[in-house]
Amino acid sequence: MELAIFIILSGSIIVILACLASIFWFGGLLLPILFSGAPFVPSSKERVDTMIKLANIKPTDHVVDMGSGEGQFLIKSIKAGAQSADGYEIHPGLVVFSRWRAKRNKMQNKIHVFQKSFWKADVSKATIVFLYLLPNHMVKLETKLKNELPIGARIISNEFTFPNWTPVKQEEKIYVYEKTGS
Ligand SMILES: C[S@@+](CC[C@H](N)C(=O)[O-])C[C@H]1O[C@@H](n2cnc3c(N)ncnc32)[C@H](O)[C@@H]1O
């Protein structure tokens, strides 16, 4: 009898802890992701390759991926010859995974993944910015990037456009923007 009570009680405690962990993980992460950026939907391999090609990466480039997910843009940018690649990502699991990928590819000296909202990202030295976010954030992001990027920086956006900025290039639904002096 006592054993049965113990099993029921400990089972209930495990279920309650699992529920609390799920609420923390999905409620605590999904809501900020939905309201301050985008959920984790990685760009397709074809899109990544096209975006890297459109970025025309040079050895002097500093890349930033706003919402870097599993880190695929960071790795491919370094492989394409960029000097450094910074990712801003709020999902702790993706931060750990992308840092591990950078280390596995021996790129930990060139890739830095910040567990931080991209709204607080320092883009003052970025020469290339990759984006794959939700359309409702593009207005605020346009203002941040126009104000904070150095002149000549290029932005490559998957799928979504800025409301007031005209792309200099477009391929399928990939848009390239350039920060000019005017
Ligand atoms: C659509 S996914 C794109 C991932 C990657 N850039 C790609 O194209 O494969 C958006 C990513 O942004 C992250 N994210 C959402 N809001 C964010 C925020 N405010 N700051 C940093 N990362 C954010 C999500 O966790 C997710 O990994």
Side-chain angles (χ1 to χ4, degrees):
M1 182 64 181
E2 279 177 1
L3 181 65
I5 293 173
F6 173 76
I7 290 172
I8 290 169
L9 272 182
S10 53
S12 309
I13 289 170
I14 289 170
V15 170
I16 290 168
L17 286 178
C19 288
L20 288 176
S22 305
I23 290 167
F24 168 77
W25 189 254
F26 293 108
L29 287 170
L30 197 62
L31 292 180
I33 286 170
L34 286 176
F35 288 106
S36 72
F40 176 55
V41 180
S43 300
S44 69
K45 189 188 169 304
E46 294 71 31
R47 282 283 167 104
V48 177
D49 289 345
T50 308
M51 289 169 76
I52 293 282
K53 181 195 80 184
L54 287 171
N56 191 21
I57 292 173
K58 294 181 234 30
T60 48
D61 276 324
H62 296 282
V63 171
V64 170
D65 186 2
M66 309 283 258
S68 50
E70 50 179 308
Q72 53 176 346
F73 279 105
L74 309 178
I75 304 267
K76 289 204 171 175
S77 296
I78 297 300
K79 280 190 178 156
Q83 192 173 127
S84 68
D86 290 348
Y88 288 85
E89 176 54 60
I90 49 172
H91 192 301
L94 293 171
V95 170
V96 170
F97 180 67
S98 48
R99 282 179 184 161
W100 172 79
R101 275 185 94 182
K103 206 169 174 185
R104 199 186 59 171
N105 282 276
K106 299 188 171 40
M107 294 175 176
Q108 68 271 28
N109 295 336
K110 294 186 168 187
I111 290 178
H112 298 99
V113 183
F114 299 94
Q115 189 178 338
K116 187 171 169 181
S117 173
F118 55 68
W119 296 118
K120 295 183 184 150
D122 175 8
V123 293
S124 60
K125 293 188 179 64
T127 54
I128 294 176
V129 176
F130 289 111
L131 300 179
Y132 184 25
L133 298 167
L134 290 177
N136 52 323
H137 299 298
M138 295 300 275
V139 183
K140 199 172 149 196
L141 211 47
E142 175 176 345
T143 309
K144 176 176 171 67
L145 295 175
K146 268 190 174 164
N147 288 340
E148 298 176 22
L149 280 177
I151 289 170
R154 283 161 288 144
I155 301 155
I156 297 95
S157 175
N158 187 359
E159 200 73 34
F160 303 113
T161 53
F162 291 125
N164 307 305
W165 204 342
T166 310
V168 289
K169 209 183 263 182
Q170 177 181 350
E171 196 169 311
E172 293 168 18
K173 280 191 161 186
I174 298 168
Y175 305 90
V176 181
Y177 297 88
E178 197 167 318
K179 163 103 181 247
T180 59
S182 58

